[in-house]
């Protein structure tokens, strides 16, 4: 306490002042910020001018970007020269916002805290057996969907939904989910309701979920669809990426081909691919 009093007196008398936060060299601040998560970097940038300037350093944000960010930019942006034109912080900020590609049938974005890569695939980009026969399937407008459209099955003997994607994923574990709901969603008097008129047959035999990858990985599981009126992310499978510089083709399917009974009243919204560590948040 005596030392603090003495320092205060020295300050008042024009003696040597104590170091302030703004006196820390900018390169030291940048090295400290590099160890923080992106939201914390942005919060510290508000402290003073030195922290704000240091927070823009390219080497900070390059360490937050996925290793394949150059591939992502080349795949989803028309301007392939963005890597040279923009700073790494701006690239990170752009990639954290959902970006449509492949004629609007897919979206990609980064988790703003971890930089993990998320991919979403519209129901219109999936191969659905019988989708062109309006006696069984219809695409219906649904504003709460990421793609504002879902595929609705009225009734069928044979459910078969397949999809695939070829992409360069950063190294790590990934999970695939498909978003389904028993019942047809619509709005009445401004409120979201669900018509369960055609929902039947999903408790008799389980639905099979399957995933395969171009490097030989395979994951299979099955379960009965439940929770009518509620959107559920069903786990299709998981895969692991070892080499982030190699294109990996992932194929996945959802089937119920037991023709001893009909089933119907299910909506197919989209497929989500996300880092395995964040899979529980998606389910």
């Amino acid at each position: 306490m005596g030392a603090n009093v003495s320092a205060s007196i020295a300050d008042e008398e024009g003696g040597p002042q104590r170091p302030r936060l703004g006196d820390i060299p900018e390169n030291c601040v940048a090295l400290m910020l590099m160890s923080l998560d992106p939201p914390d970097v942005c919060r510290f940038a508000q402290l003073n001018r030195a922290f704000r300037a240091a927070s823009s350093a390219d080497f900070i944000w390059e360490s937050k970007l996925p290793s394949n960010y150059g591939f992502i930019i080349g795949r989803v942006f028309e301007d392939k020269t963005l890597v040279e034109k923009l700073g790494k912080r701006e690239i990170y900020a752009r990639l954290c916002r959902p970006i449509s590609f492949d004629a609007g049938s897919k979206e990609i974005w980064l988790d703003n805290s971890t930089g993990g890569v998320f991919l979403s695939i519209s129901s219109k980009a999936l191969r659905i057996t019988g989708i062109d026969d309006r006696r069984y399937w219809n695409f219906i407008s649904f504003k709460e969907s990421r793609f504002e459209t879902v595929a609705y099955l009225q009734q069928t003997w044979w459910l078969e939904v397949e999809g695939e994607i070829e992409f360069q994923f950063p190294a790590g574990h990934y999970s695939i989910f498909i978003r389904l709901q028993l019942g047809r969603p619509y709005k009445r008097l401004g409120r979201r309701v669900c018509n369960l008129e055609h929902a039947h047959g999903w408790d008799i035999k389980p639905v099979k979920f399957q995933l395969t990858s171009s490097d030989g990985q395979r994951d299979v599981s099955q379960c009965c669809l439940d929770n009518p009126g509620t959107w559920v992310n069903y786990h299709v499978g998981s895969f692991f990426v070892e080499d982030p510089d190699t294109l990996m083709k992932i194929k996945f399917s959802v089937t119920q081909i037991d023709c001893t009974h009909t089933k119907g009243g299910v909506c197919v919204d989209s497929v989500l691919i996300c880092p395995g560590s964040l899979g529980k948040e998606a389910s």
Side-chain angles (χ1 to χ4, degrees):
M1 180 174 178
N4 291 336
V5 172
S6 299
S8 298
I9 293 173
D11 290 346
E12 292 173 0
E13 295 177 350
Q17 296 183 351
R18 289 175 296 176
R20 294 183 173 87
L21 195 60
D23 297 329
I24 304 175
E26 188 177 306
N27 60 339
C28 294
V29 173
L31 288 172
M32 181 196 73
L33 295 179
M34 188 176 177
S35 66
L36 301 178
D37 291 333
D40 291 329
V41 174
C42 295
R43 280 191 284 268
F44 273 87
Q46 300 174 25
L47 286 177
N48 58 36
R49 186 179 301 174
F51 274 75
R52 184 163 56 254
S55 70
S56 299
D58 272 353
F59 74 86
I60 293 177
W61 294 99
E62 184 146 24
S63 70
K64 313 301 180 189
L65 285 164
S67 60
N68 69 332
Y69 75 91
F71 169 83
I72 295 175
I73 289 174
R75 177 74 183 270
V76 304
F77 287 112
E78 292 185 4
D79 186 353
K80 312 303 182 185
T81 63
L82 283 179
V83 174
E84 290 77 27
K85 290 181 178 179
L86 300 177
K88 298 301 187 291
R89 184 174 67 171
E90 177 62 22
I91 292 175
Y92 191 91
R94 289 200 182 192
L95 292 179
C96 283
R97 297 189 290 267
I99 304 165
S100 296
F101 66 105
D102 283 2
S105 66
K106 301 179 181 71
E107 281 191 357
I108 186 169
W109 67 98
L110 303 185
D111 179 78
N112 62 5
S113 294
T114 66
V117 175
F118 284 70
L119 280 163
S120 187
I121 304 172
S122 165
S123 58
K124 287 190 173 182
L126 305 176
R127 295 188 301 275
I128 302 176
T129 299
I131 191 65
D132 296 324
D133 193 330
R134 294 296 173 259
R135 294 175 300 172
Y136 306 111
W137 287 92
N138 285 284
F139 284 110
I140 60 176
S141 176
F142 183 57
K143 295 300 181 182
E144 295 180 28
S145 168
R146 179 175 293 277
F147 299 96
E148 299 190 351
T149 301
V150 298
Y152 177 69
L153 169 65
Q154 183 165 307
Q155 180 172 296
T156 189
W157 293 89
W158 182 289
L159 174 73
E160 191 169 28
V161 179
E162 298 177 328
E164 65 179 56
I165 186 168
E166 190 172 37
F167 206 78
Q168 275 187 18
F169 294 92
H173 287 91
Y174 292 85
S175 293
I176 296 185
F177 298 87
I178 186 166
R179 189 170 186 247
L180 307 175
Q181 177 183 265
L182 297 184
R184 177 170 182 157
Y186 67 100
K187 282 194 173 182
R188 183 171 58 194
L189 301 177
R191 297 181 59 187
R192 180 181 175 275
V193 293
C194 187
N195 185 348
L196 301 177
E197 177 185 1
H198 300 120
H200 71 283
W202 303 108
D203 57 343
I204 299 175
K205 292 290 181 66
V207 172
K208 182 179 180 181
F209 302 92
Q210 183 166 286
L211 174 154
T212 59
S213 69
S214 54
D215 64 352
Q217 298 179 67
R218 186 169 183 264
D219 199 355
V220 181
S221 62
Q222 58 182 16
C223 72
C224 292
L225 305 187
D226 54 10
N227 295 316
T230 302
W231 286 101
V232 178
N233 284 326
Y234 288 92
H235 184 243
V236 177
S238 299
F239 62 96
F240 179 75
V241 176
E242 185 173 0
D243 183 358
D245 298 321
T246 300
L247 278 173
M248 177 177 284
K249 178 176 282 189
I250 304 296
K251 295 183 178 182
F252 49 88
S253 63
V254 179
T255 57
Q256 215 296 8
I257 55 177
D258 186 319
C259 295
T260 60
H261 66 285
T262 63
K263 42 265 179 186
V266 67
C267 278
V268 180
D269 179 9
S270 57
V271 168
L272 175 68
I273 305 176
C274 65
S277 58
L278 301 174
K280 290 184 179 179
E281 299 178 16
S283 60

